[in-house]
Amino acid sequence: MQNYRAPIRDVLFSLCELHGNFPYPQAMSVAQGLGDDEAPMILEAIGKFAERVLLPLNSTGDREGAHWDNGKVTAPAGFKEAYKQYVDAGWPRLGHAEEYGGQPVQFSLKLASDEFLHSANQAWCIYGLLNDGAIRTLRSHAEREQVDAFVPGLVSGEWIGTMCLTEPQCGSDLNLVRTRAEPAGNGRYRIYGNKMFISSGESDWADNIVHLILARLPDAPPGTRGISLFVVPKRLPAADGSLGEVNNVHCLSIEDKMGLKGAATCAMSFDGAEGWLVGKPNRGLNCMFVFVNKSRVGVALQGVAQAEAAYQESLAYAHTRLQGRAPGGMREPADPLVAHPDVRRMLLTQRAIAEGGRALVHLCGKWVDVVDSGDAVSRDEAEQRLALLTPIAKGLLTELASEATDLAIQIFGGHGYIKESGVEQRFRDVRITRIYEGTTGIQGMDLLGRKVLGPNRAVLDRFIDEIQAFCDTAVSEEIASLQQRLQRAATMWRELTDELGREAGADAGLVGAVGVDYLMLSGYVTLGYLWAQTAAIAVRKLASGCEDPAFYRAKLQTARFYFDKMLPRVATHRACIESGTDVLSTDDALRGATA
Amino acid sequence: MQNYRAPIRDVLFSLCELHGNFPYPQAMSVAQGLGDDEAPMILEAIGKFAERVLLPLNSTGDREGAHWDNGKVTAPAGFKEAYKQYVDAGWPRLGHAEEYGGQPVQFSLKLASDEFLHSANQAWCIYGLLNDGAIRTLRSHAEREQVDAFVPGLVSGEWIGTMCLTEPQCGSDLNLVRTRAEPAGNGRYRIYGNKMFISSGESDWADNIVHLILARLPDAPPGTRGISLFVVPKRLPAADGSLGEVNNVHCLSIEDKMGLKGAATCAMSFDGAEGWLVGKPNRGLNCMFVFVNKSRVGVALQGVAQAEAAYQESLAYAHTRLQGRAPGGMREPADPLVAHPDVRRMLLTQRAIAEGGRALVHLCGKWVDVVDSGDAVSRDEAEQRLALLTPIAKGLLTELASEATDLAIQIFGGHGYIKESGVEQRFRDVRITRIYEGTTGIQGMDLLGRKVLGPNRAVLDRFIDEIQAFCDTAVSEEIASLQQRLQRAATMWRELTDELGREAGADAGLVGAVGVDYLMLSGYVTLGYLWAQTAAIAVRKLASGCEDPAFYRAKLQTARFYFDKMLPRVATHRACIESGTDVLSTDDALRGATA
């Protein structure tokens, strides 16, 4: 029952109209040799692949799941063949340097096309998901020899990368990493330890797997300052560069999960596996930061992708399912669900999440483009903006993706609870996005504690200045109403941040207690800014007699919906922030179960 | 990993302390022959059964699921044997009349003990869930002969009952029922049609299954005024009262669902199956109302039960899992999750939902007791109160149960996404409660359209008067702060209702557009009332030097948490209500997928 069409027009609106006059034009020209019409062609081609090849494998992958048998991992039927098509088409090469076989395009374009893949089949995407991060990490920190050995295979997609952080006792808290690395004397290290929750730690569909793994050197200090990064391949390179002997890396089992069943989440054992140090000793976390931040934007994108697909499926169902009499309705034997105001409320919520979320992810993508291509000054600004926006995008959009997919179940009613409808799978699959790459709680503490109340306060002020300047720009009477509400929300955001800054010094628990509420509030104001800009573009287009007025009227209605029915959520988050830590600080209610 | 202890002390607090001075004392004495100490004994015994017998079958039932093979349905291993134990202990008889083999106890006590069963194994409970409703419907509307034939088997639990409403084209909208009934000439009718989503429509564990089914007589008018109710057993009674021939009722398949996998959700075919008319022709929906309203309180209870279990499991995990450094923390190698403010926020949210929700369900149960036992005046008031509270309890508590179980996944982090932890099952199982017995959208329209803006406005005013009178009662300074906030919220609830009453006449879409927000707002104020009463009791107990001050201090903290961190949600719902229908009424954004 799953059906999905890659929303090319909406993606191009976001990339070219909403973010088209991005203040750093050099970000637009990073893709040397990529003509103006090539971006739509890439989007079309990847969209078709997603619709025709990946989507049909989505529910079958969920039913079948990944298999583990005596250390061998097999993906669901069709996954490997689809990946071969993907590699043969050269798409893994997008966004990478030519010298390693890549085809350089803007990161924002790559994000845009990745959305289609995740909408069609999130589980399938997991297998190749970490290649980009692995490539960037190796290129930034590894010795040339390792870059040459591992990057080309990752760029072509013939090899896949993993990120091995988590251990049984060590989830969000990397202080607790126990895996150790011993010098092997030949410039190599031997890795000993167990890692868990490793996405595609083992599989049958790549010639080699390149693990980036955190471990401790023998004399390392305790805590995160004693963690180093290593690259450990499944198969070691032979002297002639071909694939050599098999390394001591084993997949002990795969997890039975709530969703993403088609993806293999592996428990891995490194039993003296050979590898190389990446970057400086004990500086592994710093090397990983590049990886983690990019990954977080990618996870936000997964949320957007699932919200979009859930919206499309809900809308189609709401047009065909006849049930009940709507206000002013007249169809026999009943009106379609889409005529009912409560169903319209749910559909517009999904739409506002999907399209507003896409705008936010693309905004992050544009700043990455500036980091990749700008001069030193703009790169510095871009890095700060990204540092601010990344936890907002990751935290807010994954929470809202759960909401959008959950609403799909609700719109389908009893049929949504049945696997055949396909929408409950979207909820289960996307549920992990609120957890991996740092839970929403972690994102909230990162945003408030490490960024806003830390070195990034000035960049928040610049962002709010930008919002307020937009609010002061005359567009039309209709937009003025949105601008006024946005102005109030942005001012409140700034004042609340001031207040938290004053209180945080004396209240060690404050950041943790209100971090999630602060993140959500920040996110709703940010989405409000993007929706108000969208509405302003739509009003101008409609006034100028554009070719597709229906498209812009829909944007305008969704923007108004966002302001009427979603932005008011800031009121609750504000009240929760203002009530502070008091009620969380005593132990009365949360004693152990035996108390 | 699932672990659960029946929260006897909390249940007794709600039944006896919070609702103990219920204004209709006769409701307390309905259980002739049930001494003061018998209620706790019943709770203890059923609690142990839930913990020891049902809980271990919960995750195995989820993994194994119900089986269908050529029309036969088999429950997961152990389910049938557990049910036999339950029947042998005589527990299905609780709450029913002695003349049919029952043991009369208050409905509120039955609700209280049913909670434990649902916490331990919601899927198992589905099989016998509809017996109570079937018994009440038959006793209220069926001929004596059918009552005698079917009720004793349902009371003992040896037979099970079903409710056959839904058809493929007919979900929330019963206008669309197509199943037909033809007189068979012998006082019986022959039923033709297909029903779907029939809980335990077929199973291997009862001697007989008694279907209550909606169908149309040959000359019935269209719409809901042409629907009649029939009782159709799987096996017809023989002349001597023993089980006779097998009826033409067949289970065509069972559904593959998101959760509740251990329960059999059946597609049923009635191919000339014989049965009897229940109540008057074309008045089937009226006969079903008793069934549906009681069932809705039962579904609210399922939500509470899952929230309670999710809280217990989350709290236990948060005490044992060591991760990160909490503010002021000092444990090595890391502090337990429970020390982190954001985790405390999530745990207290779960607790406030579970305990506040229980208080609301018991309040409904107490009013049912008055309906069952009061004089005409008090019964009338009780029926009106129930009519008001039922959609609030069903809508709010199932929404909040999704939140509480979802938070459990979040508290467990990556481990919560793995089936082994057991918490993701609770989310999947409880997800259906927002759909069956009427979606939250349906509850919202029932509350606002049919009740509050219809004949029940006066009862809402009396309820708000009661809340406001409570707010004016001096207790202590600490309670005064809660009372002030509750007073404001209650006044706002009343004024908003006035405003909606003024607008609804001119705006046909208003009830549907704001029904869910109105329901949630009503629910949060109602929970606020119950939490403020709880806090007042706790303050008085603590001032009087009670035996278990820790118990009451925990109640007080949870009440304060509710007011600080959950009641503020009314602000958002209010704003969404006040923005009305405008943005929902145009068609720009929700055209068909091809537009």
Side-chain angles (χ1 to χ4, degrees):
Chain A
M1 288 262 296
Q2 289 173 335
N3 57 65
Y4 165 76
R5 295 285 295 275
I8 309 278
R9 178 74 182 88
D10 284 290
V11 164
L12 287 172
F13 170 83
S14 171
L15 283 180
C16 305
E17 295 182 66
L18 179 59
H19 296 306
N21 53 352
F22 206 67
Y24 296 90
Q26 66 271 39
M28 299 288 89
S29 59
V30 62
Q32 296 91 343
L34 190 68
D36 274 357
D37 52 347
E38 281 182 90
M41 281 172 58
I42 289 174
L43 291 171
E44 289 280 356
I46 294 184
K48 287 278 167 277
F49 172 73
E51 295 166 8
R52 294 176 187 174
V53 179
L54 294 187
L55 185 68
L57 300 174
N58 195 31
S59 58
T60 56
D62 181 59
R63 274 198 290 276
E64 189 185 331
H67 303 279
W68 180 93
D69 182 27
N70 196 25
K72 302 257 181 245
V73 172
T74 319
F79 272 39
K80 186 177 167 181
E81 292 72 19
Y83 187 72
K84 185 166 185 324
Q85 265 187 264
Y86 181 71
V87 169
D88 289 348
W91 287 318
R93 301 176 190 270
L94 287 177
H96 297 297
E98 283 181 317
E99 65 177 305
Y100 298 105
Q103 179 186 1
V105 301
Q106 296 109 305
F107 183 71
S108 49
L109 179 61
K110 174 150 177 56
L111 270 180
S113 61
D114 277 354
E115 179 193 319
F116 308 150
L117 308 177
H118 281 104
S119 289
N121 197 327
Q122 191 185 346
W124 179 89
C125 292
I126 298 295
Y127 288 89
L129 193 68
L130 299 174
N131 277 25
D132 287 359
I135 292 164
R136 283 175 185 271
T137 305
L138 289 168
R139 289 194 58 201
S140 301
H141 302 288
E143 298 290 331
R144 178 82 203 191
E145 193 184 341
Q146 277 76 56
V147 173
D148 289 342
F150 300 118
V151 167
L154 292 169
V155 166
S156 73
E158 287 161 309
W159 296 6
I160 62 178
T162 81
M163 178 153 104
C164 302
L165 282 66
T166 305
E167 300 177 10
Q169 79 294 343
C170 160
S172 301
D173 182 2
L174 293 173
N175 273 298
L176 306 178
V177 163
R178 281 188 202 148
T179 298
R180 25 187 207 94
E182 293 179 1
N186 52 358
R188 300 183 181 187
Y189 292 81
R190 292 192 177 277
I191 310 291
Y192 298 88
N194 290 322
K195 295 283 180 179
M196 71 186 297
F197 295 168
I198 307 307
S199 292
S200 50
E202 174 56 28
S203 72
D204 59 335
W205 64 0
D207 299 332
N208 202 2
I209 300 177
V210 180
H211 304 284
L212 286 174
I213 179 169
L214 294 181
R216 291 183 186 283
L217 289 165
D219 53 354
T224 50
R225 282 152 200 248
I227 297 175
S228 305
L229 179 66
F230 299 86
V231 56
V232 177
K234 178 179 171 182
R235 293 187 64 182
L236 291 159
D240 63 356
S242 66
L243 286 177
E245 60 179 310
V246 174
N247 215 339
N248 264 330
V249 183
H250 304 283
C251 177
L252 302 176
S253 62
I254 63 173
E255 304 290 349
D256 186 9
K257 306 187 296 298
M258 180 186 197
L260 277 191
K261 290 167 185 282
T265 305
C266 303
M268 303 296 295
S269 154
F270 295 81
D271 188 19
E274 282 188 53
W276 291 264
L277 181 68
V278 176
K280 298 202 176 102
N282 303 328
R283 302 284 291 164
L285 279 200
N286 296 61
C287 300
M288 273 308 211
F289 275 150
V290 181
F291 205 142
V292 166
N293 275 323
K294 274 283 177 49
S295 302
R296 285 179 176 175
V297 176
V299 174
L301 178 75
Q302 294 168 26
V304 168
Q306 290 283 15
E308 169 68 32
Y311 166 65
Q312 288 193 22
E313 286 163 0
S314 302
L315 183 66
Y317 186 75
H319 273 279
T320 52
R321 174 76 172 172
L322 306 180
Q323 206 75 190
R325 177 60 63 222
M330 49 198 309
R331 271 239 230 152
E332 289 302 334
D335 289 305
L337 288 182
V338 72
H340 294 274
D342 183 55
V343 176
R344 299 171 76 78
R345 180 186 63 80
M346 294 191 278
L347 289 165
L348 283 164
T349 304
Q350 295 177 310
R351 182 167 181 160
I353 291 168
E355 298 182 5
R358 175 182 301 124
L360 177 52
V361 167
H362 289 182
L363 179 61
C364 294
K366 292 285 184 177
W367 285 117
V368 174
D369 288 336
V370 176
V371 171
D372 287 348
S373 65
D375 56 32
V377 174
S378 56
R379 178 181 296 151
D380 189 52
E381 174 70 9
E383 276 171 357
Q384 290 184 48
R385 291 279 189 137
L386 265 178
L388 179 75
L389 289 173
T390 299
I392 295 177
K394 201 283 188 183
L396 176 79
L397 299 182
T398 60
E399 292 287 328
L400 292 184
S402 277
E403 179 177 344
T405 52
D406 182 80
L407 286 176
I409 301 173
Q410 203 65 12
I411 292 165
F412 275 71
H415 295 270
Y417 197 66
I418 306 299
K419 286 186 173 286
E420 193 188 357
S421 74
V423 289
E424 62 83 41
Q425 182 193 348
R426 295 202 178 276
F427 180 89
R428 289 186 288 102
D429 286 354
V430 87
R431 181 62 184 84
I432 189 61
T433 61
R434 285 157 60 197
I435 297 170
Y436 63 18
E437 304 294 341
T439 62
T440 308
I442 297 280
Q443 304 303 322
M445 285 192 280
D446 178 50
L447 173 67
L448 183 58
R450 221 171 324 179
K451 308 284 172 66
V452 170
L453 300 183
N456 283 76
R457 177 56 206 256
V459 73
L460 172 66
D461 280 327
R462 287 200 296 283
F463 185 45
I464 295 180
D465 291 344
E466 178 189 319
I467 295 175
Q468 296 188 314
F470 165 80
C471 291
D472 291 335
T473 313
V475 182
S476 75
E477 203 173 315
E478 175 147 37
I479 301 302
S481 150
L482 309 187
Q483 287 171 316
Q484 283 156 18
R485 286 183 267 176
L486 179 61
Q487 185 72 271
R488 277 199 299 277
T491 303
M492 187 261 279
W493 185 16
R494 195 196 299 263
E495 289 171 358
L496 204 54
T497 308
D498 290 339
E499 182 67 26
L500 289 170
R502 283 191 293 272
E503 290 172 11
D507 184 351
L510 187 63
V511 165
V514 307
V516 168
D517 281 305
Y518 183 83
L519 182 151
M520 297 301 285
L521 183 146
S522 305
Y524 286 121
V525 180
T526 304
L527 279 197
Y529 176 41
L530 293 163
W531 270 118
Q533 288 176 284
T534 298
I537 293 168
V539 162
R540 289 198 189 99
K541 282 280 186 179
L542 288 166
S544 70
C546 57
E547 272 182 14
D548 45 358
F551 178 84
Y552 293 101
R553 277 202 301 268
K555 291 279 181 237
L556 194 54
Q557 186 186 3
T558 313
R560 289 175 50 225
F561 176 88
Y562 181 83
F563 275 82
D564 277 6
K565 304 287 186 187
M566 296 188 68
L567 187 62
R569 297 178 184 188
V570 296
T572 295
H573 292 297
R574 174 192 187 172
C576 289
I577 292 168
E578 289 179 341
S579 69
T581 53
D582 269 8
V583 79
L584 298 174
S585 55
T586 70
D587 265 328
D588 294 333
L590 299 176
R591 288 170 197 284
T594 54
Chain B
M1 288 263 294
Q2 289 175 334
N3 58 66
Y4 165 75
R5 294 286 295 273
I8 309 279
R9 177 74 181 87
D10 283 291
V11 164
L12 287 172
F13 170 83
S14 171
L15 283 179
C16 304
E17 293 182 68
L18 179 59
H19 297 306
N21 55 353
F22 206 68
Y24 298 90
Q26 66 270 38
M28 300 288 89
S29 60
V30 64
Q32 295 93 342
L34 189 69
D36 274 357
D37 53 348
E38 282 183 89
M41 281 172 56
I42 289 174
L43 291 173
E44 290 280 357
I46 295 183
K48 287 279 166 278
F49 171 74
E51 293 165 9
R52 293 175 188 175
V53 180
L54 295 188
L55 185 68
L57 301 174
N58 196 31
S59 57
T60 57
D62 181 59
R63 274 198 290 274
E64 188 183 331
H67 302 280
W68 180 94
D69 182 26
N70 196 24
K72 304 258 181 240
V73 172
T74 318
F79 272 40
K80 185 178 170 181
E81 294 71 20
Y83 187 71
K84 186 167 186 324
Q85 265 186 266
Y86 182 71
V87 168
D88 290 348
W91 286 319
R93 299 173 191 273
L94 287 176
H96 297 296
E98 283 181 313
E99 64 175 309
Y100 297 105
Q103 180 187 1
V105 301
Q106 296 109 302
F107 182 72
S108 50
L109 179 61
K110 176 151 177 53
L111 270 181
S113 62
D114 278 354
E115 180 193 318
F116 307 150
L117 307 177
H118 281 104
S119 289
N121 196 326
Q122 191 186 345
W124 179 90
C125 292
I126 298 295
Y127 288 90
L129 193 68
L130 299 174
N131 277 25
D132 288 0
I135 291 164
R136 284 176 184 269
T137 304
L138 289 168
R139 287 193 59 201
S140 301
H141 301 287
E143 298 291 331
R144 179 80 204 191
E145 194 184 341
Q146 278 75 54
V147 174
D148 288 343
F150 300 117
V151 167
L154 292 169
V155 166
S156 73
E158 287 160 309
W159 296 4
I160 61 177
T162 81
M163 178 154 100
C164 303
L165 281 66
T166 304
E167 300 178 11
Q169 79 293 347
C170 159
S172 301
D173 182 2
L174 293 172
N175 273 299
L176 306 179
V177 163
R178 282 188 202 151
T179 298
R180 46 199 184 81
E182 292 179 0
N186 53 358
R188 300 182 181 186
Y189 292 80
R190 290 192 178 279
I191 310 292
Y192 298 89
N194 290 323
K195 295 283 182 180
M196 72 184 298
F197 295 169
I198 307 307
S199 291
S200 50
E202 174 57 27
S203 72
D204 59 336
W205 63 1
D207 300 331
N208 203 1
I209 298 176
V210 180
H211 304 285
L212 287 174
I213 179 169
L214 294 181
R216 293 184 185 281
L217 287 166
D219 52 353
T224 52
R225 284 153 199 246
I227 297 175
S228 305
L229 180 65
F230 299 86
V231 56
V232 176
K234 177 179 174 181
R235 293 187 63 182
L236 291 158
D240 64 355
S242 65
L243 286 176
E245 59 179 312
V246 174
N247 215 342
N248 266 330
V249 183
H250 304 283
C251 176
L252 303 177
S253 62
I254 63 174
E255 304 290 348
D256 187 9
K257 307 188 294 297
M258 179 185 198
L260 278 190
K261 290 167 184 283
T265 305
C266 302
M268 302 295 296
S269 152
F270 295 82
D271 187 18
E274 284 188 53
W276 290 265
L277 182 68
V278 177
K280 298 206 176 97
N282 303 329
R283 302 285 290 164
L285 278 202
N286 297 61
C287 300
M288 273 308 213
F289 275 150
V290 181
F291 204 142
V292 166
N293 275 322
K294 275 281 177 49
S295 301
R296 286 179 175 175
V297 176
V299 174
L301 178 75
Q302 294 167 26
V304 169
Q306 290 283 17
E308 169 69 31
Y311 167 64
Q312 289 192 22
E313 287 163 0
S314 302
L315 183 65
Y317 186 76
H319 273 279
T320 53
R321 173 77 172 173
L322 307 179
Q323 205 75 190
R325 176 62 63 222
M330 50 197 310
R331 272 238 228 150
E332 288 302 334
D335 289 305
L337 287 183
V338 72
H340 294 273
D342 184 55
V343 176
R344 300 171 76 77
R345 180 184 64 80
M346 293 192 277
L347 290 165
L348 283 163
T349 304
Q350 294 178 310
R351 182 167 181 160
I353 290 169
E355 298 182 6
R358 176 183 297 123
L360 177 52
V361 167
H362 288 181
L363 179 60
C364 294
K366 292 286 185 176
W367 284 118
V368 173
D369 289 337
V370 177
V371 171
D372 287 348
S373 67
D375 56 32
V377 174
S378 56
R379 178 180 298 150
D380 188 52
E381 174 70 8
E383 278 172 355
Q384 290 184 47
R385 290 281 191 138
L386 265 178
L388 179 74
L389 289 174
T390 298
I392 295 177
K394 200 284 186 183
L396 176 79
L397 300 181
T398 60
E399 293 287 328
L400 292 184
S402 277
E403 179 177 344
T405 51
D406 182 79
L407 286 175
I409 300 173
Q410 204 64 10
I411 292 165
F412 274 71
H415 295 270
Y417 198 66
I418 305 299
K419 286 188 172 285
E420 192 186 358
S421 74
V423 290
E424 61 84 40
Q425 183 192 347
R426 295 203 177 277
F427 180 89
R428 288 185 290 103
D429 286 354
V430 87
R431 181 63 184 82
I432 190 61
T433 62
R434 284 158 61 198
I435 297 170
Y436 64 17
E437 304 294 340
T439 62
T440 308
I442 297 281
Q443 305 301 321
M445 284 191 279
D446 179 50
L447 173 67
L448 183 58
R450 221 170 327 180
K451 307 284 171 64
V452 169
L453 300 184
N456 283 75
R457 176 57 205 255
V459 73
L460 171 65
D461 280 327
R462 288 201 295 284
F463 185 46
I464 295 180
D465 291 345
E466 181 189 316
I467 295 174
Q468 295 187 315
F470 165 81
C471 291
D472 291 335
T473 312
V475 182
S476 76
E477 202 174 316
E478 175 148 35
I479 301 303
S481 150
L482 308 187
Q483 287 170 315
Q484 283 156 17
R485 284 183 269 177
L486 179 60
Q487 185 72 270
R488 277 199 299 276
T491 303
M492 186 260 279
W493 185 16
R494 197 196 298 264
E495 290 170 357
L496 204 54
T497 309
D498 290 339
E499 182 66 26
L500 289 171
R502 282 191 294 272
E503 290 172 10
D507 184 351
L510 186 63
V511 165
V514 306
V516 168
D517 281 305
Y518 183 84
L519 182 153
M520 298 301 286
L521 183 146
S522 305
Y524 285 121
V525 180
T526 304
L527 279 198
Y529 177 40
L530 293 162
W531 270 118
Q533 288 176 287
T534 297
I537 292 168
V539 162
R540 290 199 188 96
K541 283 279 186 179
L542 288 165
S544 71
C546 57
E547 273 182 13
D548 43 359
F551 178 84
Y552 293 102
R553 278 202 299 268
K555 291 278 183 237
L556 195 54
Q557 186 186 1
T558 313
R560 287 176 52 228
F561 176 86
Y562 181 83
F563 275 82
D564 277 5
K565 303 287 186 187
M566 294 188 70
L567 187 61
R569 296 179 185 187
V570 296
T572 295
H573 292 297
R574 175 192 187 172
C576 289
I577 291 168
E578 289 178 340
S579 68
T581 51
D582 269 7
V583 79
L584 300 174
S585 53
T586 69
D587 265 328
D588 294 333
L590 298 176
R591 289 171 197 281
T594 54

